[in-house]
Amino acid sequence: MVLIQKALPIVEKMPGGQVVVTSMDAVLDWGRKNSLWYMLFGLACCAIEMMATGASRYDLDRFGMIYRATPRQSDLMFVSGTVCKKMAPRIKRLYDQMSEPKYVIAMGNCAISGGPFYYDTYSVVKGVDLLIPVDVYIPGCPPRPEALINGIIHLQKKISKEKSY
């Protein structure tokens, strides 16, 4: 019952049991926050840590997160690794194909700012936020799965503060 009290705003005690009274918006917001379907866009070494986070040891399924291979079924995109100018239009196209509301997590120094390729490489985008809006940045080279889970929790807090209308 403690879980329901935290998730939904009003719980009334009635004789013989408890009744949950809430608004439909609160239920939909709670469901949207706890059922993120993610699409992986792994470009370099950070993708290995991202895949490890989805595997059985760290288990993103416990957060209600399910991997989807198509952008039309996803509402969260992980971008990890070095974004080259040749891949930039593809990232933008996949982001545009996602339905609203959509969220992006930039994972790793290369996705955030170009990483070690920032100064000397002409073909590297200096951060994925120049292409698409990013909601959560997770620094590291590569960031650990625990850092990715922490970023997901931050994204869930951000979603819970949004209004659905």
Side-chain angles (χ1 to χ4, degrees):
M1 195 63 206
V2 174
L3 175 67
I4 293 175
Q5 287 176 344
K6 287 183 180 178
L8 304 175
I10 302 170
V11 176
E12 294 183 9
K13 294 187 178 186
M14 302 292 256
Q18 293 184 342
V19 176
V20 176
V21 180
T22 186
S23 67
M24 191 63 174
D25 287 336
V27 172
L28 293 175
D29 290 342
W30 178 79
R32 187 179 61 180
K33 177 186 85 155
N34 291 311
S35 64
L36 291 170
W37 290 8
Y38 63 96
M39 177 179 61
L40 303 176
F41 202 87
L43 296 167
C45 46
C46 290
I48 296 169
E49 296 294 325
M50 183 174 53
M51 290 182 277
T53 309
S56 60
R57 181 170 184 158
Y58 296 99
D59 191 24
L60 285 180
D61 291 344
R62 66 186 161 146
F63 295 104
M65 299 181 68
I66 300 171
Y67 167 72
R68 304 306 303 166
T70 169
R72 300 196 193 283
Q73 298 174 346
S74 304
D75 45 13
L76 171 62
M77 176 191 284
F78 290 119
V79 179
S80 62
T82 309
V83 179
C84 296
K85 291 183 179 176
K86 194 172 188 178
M87 288 304 278
R90 287 151 185 88
I91 292 174
K92 178 75 172 136
R93 181 179 302 141
L94 288 173
Y95 178 78
D96 290 339
Q97 290 176 353
M98 293 170 63
S99 61
E100 292 289 337
K102 50 190 168 184
Y103 307 100
V104 176
I105 293 179
M107 179 181 175
N109 293 341
C110 293
I112 293 171
S113 65
F117 310 106
Y118 183 82
Y119 292 107
D120 296 333
T121 307
Y122 67 92
S123 62
V124 172
V125 176
K126 309 302 187 210
V128 74
D129 56 354
L130 299 174
L131 306 171
I132 56 177
V134 175
D135 297 294
V136 176
Y137 297 92
I138 304 171
C141 187
R144 299 267 314 141
E146 294 90 351
L148 181 56
I149 290 172
N150 190 28
I152 291 166
I153 292 170
H154 282 291
L155 180 64
Q156 287 180 332
K157 289 177 184 176
K158 181 178 180 179
I159 292 170
S160 66
K161 293 177 184 175
E162 291 178 354
K163 297 292 182 191
S164 61
Y165 48 90

